[in-house]
């Protein structure tokens, strides 16, 4: 019950703007790139190149509220452990990422595109990898604005280097490589874990 209450309050006060931005990104994607009557590899393009960016939008700001010292002091004085708050925010942000990606793939299927569960998994892996990169940077620097920079720079690097990045190539499904997404997801989960763990260390030192 306590966990549900924390989730409700954080969704209402801290995450609605990020969720709205992620929804907007999904809505404008069909205006930027075709989403109808695509084969498997072509259907991966809008998912990998645009929809997966919602991971950055939703996961990077997980630590943002408490980066304000007044809010941090207020939250840390409560009976609930702030680490639990971060974990709850992370979990519901990942759920929203998965939900939006699933809804978008349903939309693409309705338009006659060949969208499979593999594409859903790959897009989720991309989103979590990019978002966790921003999340980790935000945790280590204590600055959410800086946190947005590495994932967008890495995204640009992928456009420039392409498949040379191997298993960490973000757009691998467009060239028929689906195994790379396992590495991206694993790296993303690792970075999220390190992010949460690093904030716990910081709290113990303050």
């Amino acid at each position: 019950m306590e966990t549900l209450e924390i989730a409700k309050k954080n969704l209402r006060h801290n995450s609605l703007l990020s969720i709205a931005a992620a929804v907007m990104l999904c809505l404008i994607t069909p205006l930027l790139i075709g989403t109808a009557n695509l084969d498997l590899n072509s259907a991966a393009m809008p998912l990998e190149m645009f929809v997966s960016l919602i991971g950055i939008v939703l996961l990077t700001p997980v630590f943002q509220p408490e980066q304000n010292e007044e809010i941090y002091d207020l939250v840390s004085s409560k009976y609930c452990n702030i680490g639990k708050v971060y974990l709850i925010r992370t979990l519901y942000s990942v759920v929203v990422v998965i939900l939006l990606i699933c809804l978008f793939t349903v939309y693409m299927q309705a338009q006659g595109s060949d969208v499979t569960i593999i594409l859903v998994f790959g897009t989720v892996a991309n989103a979590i990898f990019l978002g966790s990169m921003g999340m980790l940077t935000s945790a280590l620097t204590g600055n959410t604005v800086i946190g947005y920079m590495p994932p967008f720079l890495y995204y640009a690097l992928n456009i420039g280097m392409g498949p040379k990045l191997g298993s960490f190539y973000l757009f691998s499904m467009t060239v028929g490589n689906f195994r790379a997404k396992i590495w991206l997801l694993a790296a993303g989960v690792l970075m999220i874990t390190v992010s949460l763990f690093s904030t716990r260390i910081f709290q113990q030192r303050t």
Side-chain angles (χ1 to χ4, degrees):
M1 193 66 181
E2 177 191 355
T3 299
L4 184 60
E5 191 63 29
I6 294 171
K8 285 181 179 178
K9 287 183 178 180
N10 276 272
L11 273 167
R12 184 167 63 249
H13 296 295
N14 299 316
S15 301
L16 284 182
L17 186 60
S18 296
I19 293 172
V23 170
M24 185 62 63
L25 179 59
C26 291
L27 290 175
I28 66 173
T29 295
L31 303 177
L32 301 173
I33 189 171
T35 56
N37 302 313
L38 302 175
D39 61 28
L40 186 63
N41 290 357
S42 299
M45 188 172 293
L47 293 169
E48 289 182 308
M49 296 197 72
F50 294 98
V51 178
S52 65
L53 293 176
I54 65 174
I56 303 175
V57 175
L58 290 166
L59 284 170
T60 302
V62 163
F63 306 117
Q64 184 175 24
E66 289 75 24
Q67 287 171 353
N68 179 309
E69 289 188 13
E70 293 181 0
I71 296 177
Y72 177 82
D73 291 338
L74 177 64
V75 174
S76 59
S77 67
K78 301 293 184 180
Y79 64 90
C80 180
N81 187 289
I82 195 171
K84 183 177 181 180
V85 175
Y86 290 150
L87 178 60
I88 291 170
R89 275 191 211 141
T90 302
L91 291 175
Y92 73 61
S93 295
V94 170
V95 169
V96 173
V97 165
I98 295 171
L99 178 61
L100 288 177
I101 290 171
C102 287
L103 288 174
F104 194 87
T105 54
V106 169
Y107 165 76
M108 289 184 66
Q109 280 185 323
Q111 288 199 308
S113 292
D114 184 12
V115 182
T116 66
I117 191 66
I118 295 176
L119 293 189
V120 175
F121 171 81
T123 310
V124 170
N126 262 25
I128 290 177
F129 177 78
L130 289 169
S132 66
M133 189 180 292
M135 188 175 166
L136 178 59
T137 305
S138 176
L140 295 177
T141 63
N143 190 312
T144 297
V145 175
I146 295 175
Y148 288 107
M149 296 174 64
F152 281 115
L153 287 173
Y154 189 77
Y155 180 89
L157 179 67
N158 276 260
I159 294 175
M161 292 189 64
K164 293 179 182 178
L165 292 170
S167 295
F168 292 93
Y169 179 43
L170 292 175
F171 314 133
S172 62
M173 292 192 300
T174 62
V175 294
N177 180 1
F178 301 99
R179 291 182 179 272
K181 300 306 179 184
I182 298 174
W183 291 99
L184 287 173
L185 181 62
V189 171
L190 178 61
M191 284 191 283
I192 288 175
T193 303
V194 173
S195 301
L196 296 171
F197 187 68
S198 65
T199 58
R200 184 179 181 88
I201 292 176
F202 176 77
Q203 293 155 23
Q204 291 173 345
R205 291 179 178 176
T206 56

